[in-house]
Amino acid sequence: MSVFDSAAFENHEGVHAIFDEKTGLKTIIAVHSTARGPAAGGCRMWPYASSEAALTDALKLSRAMSFKNAMADIPLGGGKAVIIGDARTDKTPALFEAFGRAVDGLGGQYWTAEDVGVSVADMAHARNQTRYVAGLEGHAAASGDPSPVTAEGVFRGVRLCVERAYGRDLKGVTVAIQGVGHVGAYLAEKLAAAGAELIITDVNEAALAQVAARTGATIVPPAAIFDVDADVFAPCALGGAVTAETLARLKGRVVAGGANNQLASPEVGRMLFERGMLYAPDYVINGGGIINVAAEIAAIEAGTAFDPAWVEAKLTTLAATLGEVLDRSLAEKRPTHEVADEMAKARIAGAAAARRAA
Ligand code: NAD
């Protein structure tokens, strides 16, 4: 398969396949767009069955980062790196140093960070070879764990969707949270503090018990979360939670949570819309984490300290952007995910046109 013929190619600016003979590193760095700023997106390590599968994943993820960053209104484009390998057995410091050199070779076109299979410790090795690494601790620009900021953005998004769908605030509203890991646990605390009733599930019993003790949430088994009597379904675990089958079981009118890729397919988004439900597009509502990372990149570039006030201002803008998506969906009678995609594409195209004209 040629790169240009891949269905996932979608006008990428650059796709870099880099091999390091000494360490065996095989990485693909996909740069979808730098129109709004340097491409930013994490590095995933995964034992892909083929280099074609790795390429497809890199292309899809990097385009998704362009869309997320555009909707978060941050001065970053979209990119993503994948390392072909097993994170349990194939990691070495030298491998990540080689990855750092690969990133450095792009001269700042791409900023990397941790993603699935890659830890802060791994990225510290990459950082020895390049400055284009975000998400590390121990310096004035460091942004720390993005999860609380992601959860804050999701919390505000849930509140907005409840206002739109039910015309009320969160007090007494029942929210079903699927997954109480980093994002889901912070979200649960914020919702409980706002007076919401919680029903939670997870495959991790210890995490469930802790969150229930702190929030008074009711615990249900994973498969039951779609059947509970809740006003809001908040997916905060893995992708693909909303399928034709699970959608039919939901009782509430709002789907809004922190997970990436919540819709199993775009068709499910249309079905959701046709059932009169409100869906907060995942890459819009969960943009808080990348806003936090953007503040770190800006501070590294400027040689200044991390600025929480900038993050707060961007979170306010993010909620307004979500509101615009919901307004347009209502006015144009189109599903929210279609409206969001169109807005993201227009923002990227606008920045590209401005760059060409400059
Ligand atoms: P996490 O791994 O800390 O939490 C995920 C939780 O889901 C875990 O507790 C896990 O046990 C649980 N889980 C897994 N399978 C489940 C199932 N079948 N049913 C119920 N629970 C299940 O991850 P996280 O950082 O909290 O991220 C959660 C989601 O949000 C992911 O989709 C991630 O991509 C997305 N996201 C996270 C951030 C962030 O800042 N951490 C930012 C944007 C998007």
Side-chain angles (χ1 to χ4, degrees):
M1 177 191 66
S2 128
V3 174
F4 300 112
D5 298 332
S6 162
F9 181 66
E10 301 268 8
N11 296 347
H12 267 70
E13 283 178 19
V15 184
H16 309 267
I18 295 150
F19 173 61
D20 178 65
E21 195 165 10
K22 203 164 148 219
T23 59
L25 170 75
K26 284 183 182 167
T27 182
I28 298 173
I29 303 177
V31 174
H32 177 256
S33 170
T34 58
R36 297 177 52 87
C43 170
R44 178 168 294 192
M45 184 166 186
W46 196 256
Y48 293 101
S50 66
S51 51
E52 192 173 325
L55 172 65
T56 303
D57 206 29
L59 291 172
K60 282 188 174 166
L61 292 167
S62 105
R63 179 173 178 265
M65 286 310 300
S66 277
F67 281 30
K68 181 182 290 210
N69 295 348
M71 293 304 266
D73 191 36
I74 51 180
L76 294 174
K80 198 88 182 186
V82 299
I83 294 176
I84 302 173
D86 190 327
R88 289 166 306 181
T89 51
D90 298 343
K91 282 185 181 181
T92 61
L95 183 93
F96 281 94
E97 286 181 358
F99 174 70
R101 287 192 293 278
V103 170
D104 207 59
L106 300 184
Q109 242 187 75
Y110 166 67
W111 279 78
T112 196
E114 308 87 63
D115 193 68
V116 177
V118 176
S119 68
V120 173
D122 300 329
M123 276 300 162
H125 299 302
R127 181 71 179 83
N128 290 337
Q129 304 293 322
T130 183
R131 58 191 288 269
Y132 303 114
V133 178
L136 298 184
E137 300 292 333
H139 57 94
S143 57
D145 179 7
S147 310
V149 187
T150 302
E152 178 62 27
V154 174
F155 168 72
R156 294 181 192 190
V158 170
R159 189 173 58 193
L160 182 67
C161 290
V162 166
E163 275 166 21
R164 296 296 177 92
Y166 297 106
R168 56 183 291 191
D169 63 18
L170 288 168
K171 209 166 172 23
V173 163
T174 304
V175 182
I177 304 179
Q178 181 194 39
V180 288
H182 288 95
V183 175
Y186 285 116
L187 176 65
E189 287 184 15
K190 288 170 191 290
L191 288 168
E197 305 287 332
L198 301 180
I199 302 172
I200 59 174
T201 195
D202 200 292
V203 290
N204 179 340
E205 300 281 337
L208 273 177
Q210 277 174 22
V211 172
R214 283 203 300 270
T215 63
T218 303
I219 295 172
V220 297
I225 197 74
F226 305 103
D227 304 308
V228 297
D229 197 5
D231 304 300
V232 179
F233 175 56
C236 295
L238 307 176
V242 188
T243 65
E245 190 266 330
T246 59
L247 178 62
R249 290 157 60 191
L250 296 179
K251 311 266 187 301
R253 293 209 300 272
V254 172
V255 175
N260 282 316
N261 304 322
Q262 292 170 28
L263 301 178
S265 68
E267 291 72 42
V268 173
R270 182 155 275 284
M271 289 166 65
L272 199 151
F273 174 73
E274 283 164 1
R275 283 172 60 109
M277 294 168 68
L278 201 54
Y279 165 63
D282 43 19
Y283 66 83
V284 182
I285 194 173
N286 73 15
I290 194 69
I291 287 173
N292 211 46
V293 171
E296 175 174 332
I297 292 175
I300 293 173
E301 292 285 37
T304 55
F306 178 79
D307 181 2
W310 186 87
V311 172
E312 173 55 36
K314 287 291 174 194
L315 281 178
T316 303
T317 308
L318 187 70
T321 301
L322 178 61
E324 194 182 333
V325 171
L326 302 183
D327 286 343
R328 282 186 50 178
S329 164
L330 196 66
E332 298 168 16
K333 299 187 172 49
R334 292 166 59 209
T336 52
H337 70 288
E338 290 181 16
V339 171
D341 282 1
E342 194 177 282
M343 281 172 65
K345 280 184 201 162
R347 286 182 178 200
I348 296 162
R355 186 169 65 171
R356 279 195 299 275

